Amino acid sequence: MDKLYAELEQGSLVAAKALLGWKLVHATPNGRIAGYIVETEAYHENDPASHTYKGKTKRNAAMYEGAGTIYVYFTYGMHYCVNIVAGRKGVGEGVLIRALEPVEGIEPMKVNRKTSVISNLTNGPAKLVQALEIHKGYNGTVLGHGLHLEKGIIPDEIVQSRRIGISQAQDKPWRFYIAGNLYVSKS
DNA sequence: CGTAAGATGAAG
DNA sequence: TTCATCTTACGG
């Protein structure tokens, strides 16, 4: 975890790769729900697609709080997504968690997602937030309490490609995922 | 104030 | 391909 923290501090590009394979765990009052991170995207201040491109606002403030902070944002009138903030305090960058491989708490995930199809539980940024019961209350808090990371798997092969769902900087290859993993979101 | 667009997902 | 649904940000 210390090595990971050092990598998170180096910025979103390094962090996005370093986070692959780590287990994202939400310790809820009713038990643990967790999965391996299999897909990420990096965002930073000089990136037109980033929420921090035009500077600090009330919404994106958590992205300036330094490595290890959690940024939860609301979008499209109905969805939440999570980021692990990267870089040093004062710099606005982070890593969007786009997909997980379900590991613990599969049953509650099925209930939360209203489906029993395992491959459809956490293969998208808003889906995993719903499956793990992550809520906006975590925005601006630090990893380590309810929501935290634990050692997971060592990725076999990492693929780098274009990001998904953005209208700016579509040519930048700042998305990373574990090759061949069944739970990577569809593009 | 008014309004447009958004790091999505599910259904048709 | 369309639509659901709403907060934030920015212009007037």
Side-chain angles (χ1 to χ4, degrees):
Chain A
M1 186 65 195
D2 286 339
K3 178 169 182 281
L4 174 67
Y5 187 81
E7 290 176 307
L8 294 183
E9 270 203 321
Q10 291 176 53
S12 61
L13 274 315
V14 171
K17 278 176 280 192
L19 283 165
L20 291 173
W22 281 81
K23 187 197 274 188
L24 180 64
V25 182
H26 187 197
T28 77
N30 297 318
R32 288 163 52 98
I33 309 181
Y36 299 132
I37 297 172
V38 299
E39 180 183 355
T40 60
E41 280 181 0
Y43 290 89
H44 58 82
E45 290 182 338
N46 297 317
D47 168 11
S50 173
H51 289 168
T52 56
Y53 186 57
K54 293 177 181 170
K56 194 171 180 176
T57 64
K58 185 175 182 180
R59 181 202 200 193
N60 67 24
M63 289 186 78
Y64 292 81
E65 291 307 304
T69 304
I70 298 164
Y71 171 46
V72 178
Y73 69 87
F74 181 67
T75 190
Y76 292 110
M78 63 187 80
H79 297 301
Y80 288 95
C81 300
V82 238
N83 286 237
I84 305 293
V85 176
R88 296 184 175 275
K89 191 175 169 76
V91 181
E93 51 185 293
V95 177
L96 170 67
I97 307 301
R98 284 195 60 87
L100 302 178
E101 175 177 330
V103 178
E104 297 179 50
I106 310 277
E107 290 312 312
M109 282 189 197
K110 289 179 180 174
V111 175
N112 296 338
R113 292 272 305 120
K114 302 185 190 347
T115 177
S116 57
V117 181
I118 308 285
S119 62
N120 193 29
L121 255 22
T122 53
N123 61 332
K127 294 181 184 181
L128 84 262
V129 161
Q130 189 179 35
L132 296 223
E133 299 174 23
I134 295 170
H135 50 82
K136 63 181 186 295
Y138 283 110
N139 186 44
T141 67
V142 177
L143 282 171
H145 303 291
L147 191 59
H148 64 277
L149 294 172
E150 293 180 8
K151 254 205 162 77
I153 55 174
I154 305 297
D156 196 33
E157 183 189 346
I158 294 174
V159 181
Q160 179 166 186
S161 71
R162 295 180 178 202
R163 293 174 294 181
I164 295 178
I166 53 173
S167 55
Q168 303 293 317
Q170 296 181 341
D171 56 317
K172 304 296 188 221
W174 294 335
R175 169 178 177 240
F176 303 87
Y177 61 91
I178 297 180
N181 190 281
L182 180 61
Y183 304 93
V184 170
S185 69
K186 44 198 171 197
S187 51

